[in-house]
């Protein structure tokens, strides 16, 4: 009886271990993405597993594959369509293939007037209206350093330092509350699909999804990290990601000290 109990315990442990290993092993699911209205396949849809920071794109037939685990969240986005988030279920993993429908956005086009400066047409007057000491920060993806011109640009390091000693500061609160998501920054930058996606996007939606914040918070974070309005408005999403990553690394160094 004693040997039977030991055998049963070992068997139960082996089964439990196998189930745990199976639940943590990435599994591949696939699907077809179509237009909800026309039922036509949608190519080049951006697909991101926000939990595992892995990306994919749909092909000409709307087909895609991506590695997942149960309860992962998959984010689907395409210019001109409403973004969609879907939770990975055991049924999807079991069936392997599913069909995703994206709905087109109803966008009303408005008149856009591009006028950064109110020029009069007279050189003597206009030369005085154009600012000559506006701060610009330049960041090259792949390099660890950002560069910003302007004599009166404070040091970003000092702003991060001030955030640490001021618990009410927005930057301090952001880095403290989102440390789990921020630790995934390096993984985000390693995935070629995500990097290529971020290089072509300027809407901040993907960054917001990956970091678990709202798009409205991103400009405030960038200002606290001492990036100029010109950089915040003109940089692509990959450059914004690099900038937040650099600022976070400074924050970690200062917090350790």
């Amino acid at each position: 009886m004693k040997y039977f109990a030991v055998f049963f315990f070992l068997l139960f442990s082996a089964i439990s271990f196998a189930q745990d290993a199976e639940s943590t092993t990435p599994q591949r699911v696939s699907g077809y993405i179509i237009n909800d209205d026309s039922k036509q396949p949608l190519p080049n849809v951006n697909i991101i597993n926000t939990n595992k920071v892995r990306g994919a794109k749909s092909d000409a037939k709307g087909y895609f594959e991506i590695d997942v685990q149960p309860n992962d969240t998959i984010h689907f986005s395409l210019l001109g369509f409403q973004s969609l988030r879907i939770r990975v279920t055991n049924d999807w993993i079991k069936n392997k293939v599913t069909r995703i429908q994206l709905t087109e956005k109803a966008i009303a086009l408005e008149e856009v007037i591009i006028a950064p400066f109110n020029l009069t047409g007279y050189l003597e007057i206009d030369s005085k209206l154009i600012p000559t000491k506006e701060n610009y920060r330049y960041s090259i993806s792949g390099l660890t350093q950002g560069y910003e011109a302007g004599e009166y640009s404070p040091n970003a390091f000092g702003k991060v330092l001030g955030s640490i000693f001021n618990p009410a500061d927005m930057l301090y609160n952001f880095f403290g509350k989102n440390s789990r998501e921020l630790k995934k920054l390096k993984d985000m930058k390693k995935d070629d699909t995500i990097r290529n996606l971020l290089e072509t996007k300027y809407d901040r939606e993907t960054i917001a999804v990956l970091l678990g914040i709202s798009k409205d918070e991103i400009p405030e974070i960038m200002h606290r990290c001492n990036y100029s309005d010109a950089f915040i408005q003109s940089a692509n999403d990959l450059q914004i990601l690099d900038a937040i990553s650099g600022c976070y690394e400074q924050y970690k160094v200062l917090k350790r000290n």
Side-chain angles (χ1 to χ4, degrees), residues 104-120:
E104 289 188 70
K105 290 181 179 178
I107 303 176
L109 298 180
E110 299 179 356
E111 182 182 5
V112 178
I113 301 176
I114 302 176
F117 310 113
N118 295 319
L119 303 181
T120 64

Side-chain angles (χ1 to χ4, degrees), residues 7-64:
F7 173 77
F8 180 80
F9 175 77
L10 292 174
L11 180 62
F12 179 78
S13 300
I15 293 174
S16 300
F17 177 79
Q19 289 177 341
D20 291 340
E22 183 179 355
S23 63
T24 57
T25 301
Q27 302 180 62
R28 177 151 290 206
V29 296
S30 60
Y32 289 90
I33 307 175
I34 63 172
N35 186 321
D36 183 34
D37 182 39
S38 66
K39 308 305 179 185
Q40 295 298 312
L42 292 175
N44 299 317
V45 176
N46 300 305
I47 305 147
I48 294 180
N49 183 334
T50 60
N51 298 83
K52 303 298 181 292
V53 196
R54 293 293 180 268
K57 272 194 174 185
S58 60
D59 62 16
K61 297 180 180 179
Y63 180 78
F64 71 93

Side-chain angles (χ1 to χ4, degrees), residues 168-179:
D169 190 274
M170 184 268 187
L171 188 62
Y172 176 92
N173 291 332
F174 168 72
F175 285 152
K177 293 178 180 178
N178 296 274
S179 59

Side-chain angles (χ1 to χ4, degrees), residues 19 30 74 114 127 140 144 176 178 192 217 221:
Q19 289 177 341
S30 60
I74 310 299
I114 302 176
S127 62
I140 301 175
T144 58
N178 296 274
D192 290 338
E217 291 180 273
I221 294 166

Side-chain angles (χ1 to χ4, degrees), residues 168-228:
D169 190 274
M170 184 268 187
L171 188 62
Y172 176 92
N173 291 332
F174 168 72
F175 285 152
K177 293 178 180 178
N178 296 274
S179 59
R180 180 178 177 183
E181 286 77 11
L182 287 161
K183 287 177 181 177
K184 298 190 296 185
L185 283 171
K186 291 183 179 179
D187 293 332
M188 296 178 197
K189 294 163 67 176
K190 289 178 183 177
D191 189 287
D192 290 338
T193 303
I194 293 180
R195 287 184 63 85
N196 294 335
L197 164 62
L198 294 176
E199 282 180 340
T200 60
K201 297 197 72 173
Y202 293 82
D203 60 7
R204 315 301 189 231
E205 178 184 333
T206 304
I207 293 179
V209 169
L210 291 171
L211 295 181
I213 59 178
S214 69
K215 291 197 293 185
D216 296 335
E217 291 180 273
I218 294 176
E220 178 65 17
I221 294 166
M222 298 300 295
H223 280 127
R224 297 301 177 111
C225 291
N226 194 41
Y227 284 86
S228 64

